[in-house]
Amino acid sequence: MTFGPATRRSRLRALQLGGLSLASLSLGGFAVLGTPGASPLQATPVRGGVPHFTLLLAGRDIVYCAYRTPCRDQEQRTGLIQPPNTDTLMLVKVDAGQVSVLNIPRDTNVGEFDPQASVAAQKVNSRYWSGGPQALTRAVETITGERVDAYMIVRTDYVARVIDALGGLDVTVPEGGIEWVDQAAGVDLRLPAGQHHLQGEQAVLFLRVRKGFGDDYGRIDHQKQALTQLAARLRSPQGLAALPTILGGIGNGVETNVDPGLLTTLLPHLPDLRLSFATLPTGTIAGTFNLAADREALARVWGQGTGAGASRTAPDVGVRVVDASGAGLGAGLTRALRALGYTRVTVETAPPSREASQVLTGQSVEAANELALTLGLPRLQGERFPVSAGEVGILLGADARVSLAALAALSRGADRPLLSRVPTTENP
């Protein structure tokens, strides 16, 4: 017997697998209250009772007026050692309960490459400095073909305060460690390989560093992982208690034109929002470091969540489970997935990790969306671990002990009363 997506989701809920719900999109969710004096976004469209909008979220550096000396006025635009780039760019789309985040590499060319123009000036990360948030917004619209309803530019000091309020960030440093020292910018980050718990300022440096992660795509990937972790933290008592403090500090470090009433409209729907990430596919531009956006590939990797009314046959996709829960939950997840029609499931055990549980995909975006929605986990498109063609990955972190607690019973074999609710031709 096979099941369509809606049936598989209801069957898995019958197994009492309480998935990780998205309380907010971390930094983006906190900042939608706007700043005093900001030009408010006009009426936000609503679909099915849920606000529908697209938000550009950009991270910019602190500006320095002298050696290791931040400018007193962080909005100053003259007399700087170097202009502040927007090296982190995310396009956030909220639509019918789905939050889709598209990361845009900093070196992406805006429009067709012009060999007669400045190479650096054509990169998207230069547009904020040359033309302000409006120019950056227009550049992102040109690159993606998406309309941008509002923008939010955040400084690194604000991001550090948010991370501190949520209790820091758990990270895994790759082999060889990280050493990033830039005395002119006040940067001194030295971390050996392994797991670390970082507070705000160090965590921000970790999210900005590229060395040890290959390139800008590697940096984007661990930024995605951090956002999934921070979003999950909002479900904890500490996260909920920190929310008023985080919202209260928005006026310092955020430049936005978002309607201050948007969060009020969105709040009732936050527990049901689903989170997915993708990275803008690009190609190289000969003779430069600039990247050309691949619109055709973008349509494939930035897929939306499967609708509740969708219907398909049993999933023809391999599922690779990496169990880093520290509680042996991979066996229980395998039993549950096989009962729901996933016949090609493999499990490998990894050292316990505090990284957030997540679904990962390469090109099998639709199948990954289905699994992410079924399990209530965020979906990432990236390089956390290799995912082959026709395969979807699931990383179970330590948080799965709570968010997917029923897997423990399945793993121990005490699953027959639960699985008896799921019609299946298999003998588990």
Side-chain angles (χ1 to χ4, degrees), residues 24 46 68 98 119 122-123 214 223 243 272 279 290 311 343:
S24 178
V46 175
R68 303 193 72 173
Q98 176 75 26
V119 173
Q122 296 182 66
K123 294 182 180 181
Q223 289 174 350
L243 194 55
D272 299 320
T279 300
N290 291 24
S311 176
T343 58

Side-chain angles (χ1 to χ4, degrees), residues 55-60 77 84-91 104-106 108 110 121-144 146-148 150-154 255:
L55 171 72
L56 173 61
L57 176 61
R60 51 155 277 199
R77 300 182 69 85
N85 290 321
T86 50
D87 287 340
T88 299
L89 287 171
M90 300 180 185
L91 189 59
I104 302 173
R106 53 173 285 178
T108 303
V110 180
Q122 296 182 66
K123 294 182 180 181
V124 67
N125 75 329
S126 71
R127 294 303 173 95
Y128 172 75
W129 175 252
S130 63
Q134 292 81 10
L136 181 62
T137 296
R138 291 192 297 270
V140 169
E141 290 179 331
T142 298
I143 290 169
T144 64
E146 295 276 354
R147 171 180 171 172
V148 178
Y151 62 80
M152 185 176 68
I153 317 296
V154 299
E255 182 180 0

Side-chain angles (χ1 to χ4, degrees), residues 52-385:
H52 165 78
F53 63 93
T54 303
L55 171 72
L56 173 61
L57 176 61
R60 51 155 277 199
D61 294 339
I62 293 176
V63 295
Y64 288 82
C65 287
Y67 178 70
R68 303 193 72 173
T69 306
C71 298
R72 184 182 300 274
D73 178 8
Q74 281 296 304
E75 304 310 316
Q76 182 172 327
R77 300 182 69 85
T78 59
L80 308 179
I81 291 181
Q82 63 181 28
N85 290 321
T86 50
D87 287 340
T88 299
L89 287 171
M90 300 180 185
L91 189 59
V92 182
K93 182 189 296 183
V94 178
D95 188 10
Q98 176 75 26
V99 179
S100 302
V101 183
L102 180 69
N103 290 77
I104 302 173
R106 53 173 285 178
D107 294 331
T108 303
N109 206 82
V110 180
E112 293 294 326
F113 179 73
D114 182 357
Q116 306 302 317
S118 165
V119 173
Q122 296 182 66
K123 294 182 180 181
V124 67
N125 75 329
S126 71
R127 294 303 173 95
Y128 172 75
W129 175 252
S130 63
Q134 292 81 10
L136 181 62
T137 296
R138 291 192 297 270
V140 169
E141 290 179 331
T142 298
I143 290 169
T144 64
E146 295 276 354
R147 171 180 171 172
V148 178
D149 295 311
Y151 62 80
M152 185 176 68
I153 317 296
V154 299
R155 295 200 310 254
T156 56
D157 55 327
Y158 171 78
V159 179
R161 293 197 301 272
V162 170
I163 293 174
D164 275 336
L166 288 173
L169 192 66
D170 295 313
V171 305
T172 302
V173 175
E175 290 298 324
I178 291 175
E179 182 173 335
W180 178 25
V181 179
D182 183 348
Q183 292 187 344
V187 173
D188 190 345
L189 181 68
R190 308 168 201 251
L191 298 171
Q195 295 191 25
H196 298 268
H197 182 78
L198 305 181
Q199 296 304 317
E201 289 188 9
Q202 268 201 321
V204 168
L205 292 178
F206 174 82
L207 295 177
R208 293 175 57 201
V209 71
R210 283 182 287 175
K211 182 179 179 181
F213 294 93
D215 54 17
D216 195 33
Y217 285 93
R219 174 170 66 176
I220 284 172
D221 198 50
H222 69 260
Q223 289 174 350
K224 296 176 193 174
Q225 295 157 26
L227 280 174
T228 62
Q229 184 184 141
L230 294 175
R233 289 273 179 86
L234 285 174
R235 298 290 294 172
S236 70
Q238 179 184 25
L240 295 175
L243 194 55
T245 301
I246 297 168
L247 292 174
I250 287 176
N252 178 18
V254 178
E255 182 180 0
T256 184
N257 66 342
V258 177
D259 182 349
L262 180 56
L263 183 59
T264 303
T265 305
L266 190 60
L267 274 175
H269 307 284
L270 291 181
D272 299 320
L273 293 179
R274 303 179 302 276
L275 176 63
S276 66
F277 286 91
T279 300
L280 176 73
T282 59
T284 58
I285 297 177
T288 77
F289 291 106
N290 291 24
L291 302 170
D294 186 337
R295 286 275 196 88
E296 183 177 346
L298 173 60
R300 294 194 299 269
V301 303
W302 203 28
Q304 302 302 303
T306 304
S311 176
R312 291 200 304 273
T313 59
D316 183 22
V317 64
V319 182
R320 178 185 170 198
V321 179
V322 175
D323 184 2
S325 67
L329 300 182
L333 180 57
T334 300
R335 284 175 174 268
L337 291 176
R338 286 178 177 166
L340 298 171
Y342 293 86
T343 58
R344 295 185 287 130
V345 183
T346 60
V347 181
E348 59 185 80
T349 302
S353 172
R354 289 175 292 189
E355 189 173 332
S357 298
Q358 55 202 250
V359 173
L360 298 108
T361 180
Q363 294 298 320
S364 301
V365 177
E366 187 177 8
N369 279 335
E370 162 71 7
L371 269 172
L373 189 58
T374 298
L375 295 170
L377 295 178
R379 190 266 292 175
L380 281 77
Q381 176 258 335
E383 302 296 331
R384 173 59 180 81
F385 56 79

